[in-house]
Amino acid sequence: MTNLVELGKSGIKVHPIALGTNFVGGYNLYGDVNEEEGKQTVRDALNTGVTMLDTAFIYGPRRSEELIGEVLKEYNREDVVIATKAAHRELDNGDMVVDNSPEFLKQAVDDALDRLQTKYIDLFYIHNPDEDTPKDEAVEALYEMKVQGKIKAIGVSNFSVEQLAEANKNNQVDVIQNHYNLLNREAEKEMLDYTSANKITFIPYFPLAAGLLAGKYDKNTKFEDLRANLPFYQEDQFKENLDKVDKLIELARKYDEDVAQLVLAFYLTRPSLDVIIPGAKKGEQIKENMRAADIELDPKDVEYIDEIFKMN
Ligand code: NAP
């Protein structure tokens, strides 16, 4: 059985493979969102042994949390770890601004509790840093929510290492969620040193580079959803990246796995990177991704993957 891992210093234990749910109700991100299919994917994940779901106010907006709240009622609440995020405040004209003010964040926790139809949220993140609010004050607001029992652990997302250090002045941050994958290893420069030294779990988003690192696209694949705008999908970069991914196909065969599982297993060899949130859309993909937690990579293969995707 796969060992569960702790989120920071929170005492909350989860399976290392969680489910990213930005496509569940995420009309603002994906063109072909089907709510029933989204809910079924969440059920498939929980029935397969995934214990943590990653959502956010902005997925939908609101709709991802609402749909997850509906599915949650079918399960024992304590068997599911819910992570959600907020920082976007909607203006009267529908535009979103980022707001980390204590007042806004505390209201955001209450609103998310309503949408998720639950009494507590296991992990609540500040989704993006704003320009004005001192980071420790923003975290202190969430700490108040923690003391009141409304949330159980505190996270930040899209924070630089300096912003994280400011946020973590009182050692209250359990998790950081930032962009990281084999095509963007920026976090390996300083961030993972800081998170390891401070017992903060680093959760990478876009772990499969939105599918590119799953080894199933070729030079002719076209994208009409959020992928059309991602840097690693732009013409020259896309071809270069596909060549790198091709090199993993043979290695994956050695483990009798697909490229996606190999890539996820590689991440779990990084310090403090203990949980991954691949955004699988199908039950089959979830089962495959879960296997990554049990792959023991030969250190020579870890070095080989490291070499192929070396940062400049
Ligand atoms: P991702 O996990 O890198 O890639 C998801 C895509 O990979 C899926 O849509 C699927 O593509 C493909 N895939 C997944 N498992 C596969 C498998 N076993 N075999 C083949 N293909 C597989 O990207 P993401 O879903 O956009 O990001 C993951 C999560 O990160 C999100 O759900 C969200 O929770 C979080 N996130 C957070 C932030 C933030 O600011 N904090 C930003 C972005 C994302 P197909 O659909 O083509 O099958």
Side-chain angles (χ1 to χ4, degrees):
M1 217 174 98
T2 310
N3 287 334
L4 300 183
V5 289
E6 185 178 359
L7 295 175
K9 314 154 273 291
S10 68
I12 300 170
K13 300 260 175 77
V14 295
H15 189 283
I17 306 297
L19 180 72
T21 67
N22 59 0
F23 74 96
V24 179
Y27 297 97
N28 53 343
L29 303 167
Y30 289 94
D32 56 352
V33 166
N34 174 313
E35 294 199 346
E36 269 319 305
E37 282 174 19
K39 283 169 71 175
Q40 191 51 43
T41 306
V42 173
R43 290 187 195 104
D44 288 344
L46 296 175
N47 297 344
T48 309
V50 163
T51 60
M52 174 164 142
L53 305 171
D54 183 85
T55 182
F57 160 82
I58 201 67
Y59 305 160
R62 301 179 182 83
R63 199 62 190 138
S64 180
E65 290 180 330
E66 287 168 354
L67 294 172
I68 286 170
E70 286 172 27
V71 176
L72 206 52
K73 287 193 283 187
E74 300 164 18
Y75 292 82
N76 287 328
R77 176 65 187 87
E78 58 278 13
D79 290 343
V80 187
V81 171
I82 297 289
T84 192
K85 326 181 192 75
H88 298 87
R89 181 160 57 79
E90 193 167 18
L91 303 178
D92 289 343
N93 65 3
D95 288 352
M96 296 283 178
V97 292
V98 177
D99 188 343
N100 294 171
S101 63
E103 191 185 38
F104 175 76
L105 288 177
K106 286 191 257 183
Q107 185 61 48
V109 170
D110 284 334
D111 293 347
L113 286 169
D114 286 346
R115 285 190 292 274
L116 288 160
Q117 302 186 56
T118 183
K119 289 197 169 70
Y120 66 90
I121 290 162
D122 301 271
L123 169 61
F124 196 92
Y125 292 94
I126 301 171
H127 201 152
N128 294 85
D130 72 5
E131 297 207 343
D132 304 322
T133 315
K135 307 300 160 233
D136 51 330
E137 281 179 26
V139 165
E140 201 58 46
L142 291 186
Y143 188 71
E144 251 182 68
M145 299 286 95
K146 188 173 167 179
V147 170
Q148 289 179 27
K150 292 181 178 180
I151 68 173
K152 307 272 184 207
I154 297 173
V156 297
S157 181
N158 298 301
F159 276 41
S160 66
V161 72
E162 291 78 19
Q163 289 169 328
L164 174 60
E166 186 186 339
N168 194 40
K169 252 184 208 164
N170 296 319
N171 216 19
Q172 290 163 341
V173 177
D174 289 297
V175 180
I176 179 159
Q177 184 179 129
N178 273 11
H179 186 179
Y180 169 87
N181 55 46
L182 282 173
L183 305 175
N184 172 9
R185 298 173 66 185
E186 196 61 33
E188 290 185 22
K189 286 184 184 155
E190 289 175 66
M191 182 62 86
L192 296 188
D193 288 342
Y194 182 85
T195 50
S196 311
N198 290 279
K199 210 166 185 300
I200 293 172
T201 302
F202 181 92
I203 300 186
Y205 72 71
F206 285 149
L208 294 172
L212 208 165
L213 288 167
K216 60 186 176 168
Y217 302 147
D218 64 37
K219 295 183 168 80
N220 302 315
T221 316
K222 295 269 175 275
F223 302 94
E224 288 172 358
D225 54 24
L226 94 166
R227 291 173 248 222
N229 298 320
L230 294 175
F232 30 83
Y233 280 79
Q234 304 313 308
E235 200 146 348
D236 287 350
Q237 270 202 50
F238 184 56
K239 287 183 187 145
E240 238 174 72
N241 291 332
L242 288 175
D243 289 342
K244 291 182 183 170
V245 173
D246 274 349
K247 295 189 180 156
L248 296 183
I249 293 176
E250 205 173 318
L251 185 59
R253 276 196 210 110
K254 173 176 159 187
Y255 292 89
D256 203 14
E257 290 291 353
D258 290 323
V259 173
Q261 290 77 66
L262 190 74
V263 168
L264 298 178
F266 173 85
Y267 298 149
L268 293 174
T269 68
R270 306 291 99 180
S272 80
L273 202 167
D274 296 333
V275 181
I276 317 177
I277 50 168
K281 292 192 196 131
K282 304 173 192 90
E284 206 42 51
Q285 291 179 340
I286 295 167
K287 283 193 192 138
E288 289 166 7
N289 294 344
M290 294 283 283
R291 293 205 303 266
D294 299 318
I295 299 176
E296 276 191 37
L297 288 178
D298 182 327
K300 285 203 180 91
D301 294 333
V302 173
E303 264 175 52
Y304 176 65
I305 298 171
D306 186 44
E307 200 51 46
I308 299 172
F309 293 91
K310 225 113 238 76
M311 287 180 293
N312 294 326

